[in-house]
Amino acid sequence: MKRLTVFLLTAILVLTSAAPIAAAESAKTYTNVILMIGDGMGENHLALAKQERGISLYMENNCDVRGYSKTRSVSNRVTDSAAGGTALATGVRTNNRYVASYFYDPLCWFSMPRTLAEAAKDSGRRSGVITTDRTDGATPSSFTVHTSDRDNSADISAQQAKSPLDLIWGGTVETFSAAEAEANGFTVVTTAQEMQALEPGSKSFAQFDVNTMWRTKVPEGSTSPTLSQMTEKAIDLLQNRNGFFLMVEGAHIDKHSHGSNDADNYDKKVSNAAQAVEEFDHAIEVAAEFAKQDGNTLVVVTADHETGGITLKDGKYVYTKTSHTNADVPVFVFGSKDLLAAGEHIENRQVARRIGKAMGLPAEAFPASMPGKITVYARKALPRLREGVDADSIQEVWALTRDLFRNLFPKKG
Ligand SMILES: [Zn+2]
């Protein structure tokens, strides 16, 4: 009986998926896109950074549009950086810990979503990912590999070494093999000096000091570049006639925001997080000023989630938590007024889809949202699709349907 119910629901699902899809039109196709992710950067991180550093922020003063992104994952109302990164990279939501893999197929047996970085490469553009985190961190991984868990470091490093992307830069990882990366054409660099010596058109993998890239100025003794220096050089290297895609992550906004709120750690935590926001803002300035000159570059700045539950208390912005929260996060757009409306709250996966569309990437890679009706049927058929989470695309419904059939009618022998 249960099987019959599932079968009927599946049939309804398939029939209804023929309904027309509404999609937002984007007016212009951009040659270059720079997507910048302030990991853990909520609205109040900006206020905290301004309060702590006595600065104003380039992103706030110079963006064309400012909106918001809703960050939940399939498995949890509070996302982690793997599911959050996956939504921003692929336009589909998944479970916490999953990296660019569907929640119903984490081992990628049947299917996996394309990432913006991969689809950009397919389109003939150059493509790269840079971060202040280790290269196997959840956010850079979400753009470069497909795996079932963010801690699959060996798998992530192996996939990255074989990656078709033009550059993958971040902090040192034990599982990374320079020999494997070099065999795939990557030049491996470990210092700012080596990075600056790279020539346009080269393919490069960077393993820098993970402790210093987030600072506004690297301390004496560190050979690493800062995030803004990395951003400038990466744009330099990626620029070409066919365009490029670059993801830039300021990972330490999140990392510092996880620190203890105990009195003996609190001031250091606030000062570090604020500095990480300031350096991320410097990187944004580099990207947005390039975009302004270029005229054909879209820059989108957002976060995967908020970390630390920063709130206004007695006239001061303070941390109330040491973990992620479900607060909506800011989205800043440079170079476009029609990617989103001012003040608009969009789902995190829509950020990727709208970028894909703005780059003229094929609709199969970044499909439009499901019609509402299918969401209801899909929810009934699949208990794991919880309240507030709809199926992501026609492709996803087809994949779900196919998987259901495979479960119902397994091949014999
Ligand atoms: Zn975090």
Side-chain angles (χ1 to χ4, degrees), residues 39 81 254 258 305 307 324:
D39 202 300
S81 292
D254 170 75
H258 277 293
H305 53 76
T307 309
H324 299 180

Side-chain angles (χ1 to χ4, degrees), residues 33-37 67-71 84-93 116 143 245 298-304 329-333 339-340 344-359 361 366-367 369:
V33 169
I34 306 172
L35 171 58
M36 311 188 69
I37 302 175
Y68 301 90
S69 159
K70 304 178 197 186
T71 65
T86 296
L88 294 172
T90 69
V92 298
R93 275 182 170 157
L116 279 170
F143 286 81
F245 171 82
L298 173 69
V299 179
V300 180
V301 178
T302 190
D304 47 0
V329 293
V331 181
F332 296 100
V333 182
L339 195 82
L340 81 164
E344 188 182 359
H345 288 245
I346 62 174
E347 303 285 332
N348 51 4
R349 57 172 184 250
Q350 289 297 345
V351 175
R353 288 186 188 163
R354 292 188 188 190
I355 289 174
K357 205 168 167 68
M359 291 176 86
L361 296 176
F366 299 94
S369 270

Side-chain angles (χ1 to χ4, degrees), residues 39-40 79-81 150 251 253-255 257-258 304-307 322-324:
D39 202 300
T79 188
D80 72 341
S81 292
R150 57 187 293 171
I253 301 166
D254 170 75
K255 289 192 190 303
S257 295
H258 277 293
D304 47 0
H305 53 76
E306 196 269 356
T307 309
T322 59
S323 55
H324 299 180

Side-chain angles (χ1 to χ4, degrees), residues 10-314:
T10 306
I12 293 166
L13 219 98
V14 171
L15 290 173
T16 326
S17 63
I21 308 158
E25 287 303 324
S26 190
K28 182 177 167 181
T29 302
Y30 292 82
T31 315
N32 311 316
V33 169
I34 306 172
L35 171 58
M36 311 188 69
I37 302 175
D39 202 300
M41 188 182 76
E43 191 67 20
N44 285 341
H45 282 76
L46 309 179
L48 183 90
K50 287 186 284 183
Q51 165 189 289
E52 176 68 16
R53 310 277 296 176
I55 51 171
S56 66
L57 292 171
Y58 180 94
M59 65 181 113
E60 289 191 305
N61 299 335
N62 295 278
C63 66
D64 289 310
V65 185
R66 179 177 187 161
Y68 301 90
S69 159
K70 304 178 197 186
T71 65
R72 68 159 300 156
S73 70
V74 170
S75 62
N76 209 303
R77 268 175 230 182
V78 179
T79 188
D80 72 341
S81 292
T86 296
L88 294 172
T90 69
V92 298
R93 275 182 170 157
T94 192
N95 288 349
N96 284 7
R97 305 203 65 82
Y98 293 17
V99 176
S101 59
Y102 290 116
F103 71 91
Y104 54 84
D105 188 10
L107 299 173
C108 305
W109 279 339
F110 304 113
S111 53
M112 62 183 96
R114 300 294 287 159
T115 77
L116 279 170
E118 293 166 340
K121 189 73 196 167
D122 291 347
S123 75
R125 291 173 172 89
R126 286 196 187 132
S127 185
V129 164
I130 67 179
T131 177
T132 65
D133 197 0
R134 296 158 47 118
T135 45
D136 68 350
T139 309
S141 297
S142 297
F143 286 81
T144 52
V145 310
H146 305 267
T147 191
S148 60
D149 193 288
R150 57 187 293 171
D151 284 347
N152 293 345
S153 179
D155 184 25
I156 291 168
S157 288
Q159 288 190 45
Q160 285 178 339
K162 293 191 186 80
S163 173
L165 297 203
D166 299 277
L167 57 93
I168 299 175
W169 296 354
T172 313
V173 172
E174 303 75 23
T175 54
F176 171 74
S177 156
E180 266 178 54
E182 280 161 2
N184 181 29
F186 282 115
T187 302
V188 178
V189 299
T190 57
T191 66
Q193 215 181 355
E194 289 173 359
M195 176 193 83
Q196 294 298 359
L198 289 167
E199 302 272 359
S202 64
K203 204 172 141 97
S204 55
F205 208 112
Q207 293 283 280
F208 297 130
D209 178 356
V210 77
N211 299 309
T212 54
M213 288 174 277
W214 59 273
R215 292 184 180 276
T216 50
K217 203 166 172 266
V218 292
E220 197 98 0
S222 170
T223 55
S224 284
T226 61
L227 185 63
S228 51
Q229 290 168 343
M230 289 159 72
T231 305
E232 191 174 5
K233 184 65 184 181
I235 291 171
D236 232 37
L237 293 175
L238 292 176
Q239 250 183 291
N240 77 105
R241 227 165 26 128
N242 297 332
F244 67 84
F245 171 82
L246 173 65
M247 192 287 287
V248 178
E249 185 202 17
H252 285 73
I253 301 166
D254 170 75
K255 289 192 190 303
H256 294 307
S257 295
H258 277 293
S260 153
N261 289 333
D262 293 347
D264 62 340
N265 186 59
Y266 190 79
D267 288 350
K268 196 177 112 214
K269 163 178 175 163
V270 169
S271 144
N272 284 347
Q275 188 178 161
V277 172
E278 185 177 351
E279 179 54 18
F280 183 57
D281 194 54
H282 289 163
I284 293 165
E285 182 170 351
V286 168
E289 289 297 319
F290 167 78
K292 214 189 278 178
Q293 289 208 324
D294 177 69
N296 218 341
T297 301
L298 173 69
V299 179
V300 180
V301 178
T302 190
D304 47 0
H305 53 76
E306 196 269 356
T307 309
I310 298 177
T311 190
L312 187 61
K313 204 173 153 194
D314 304 328

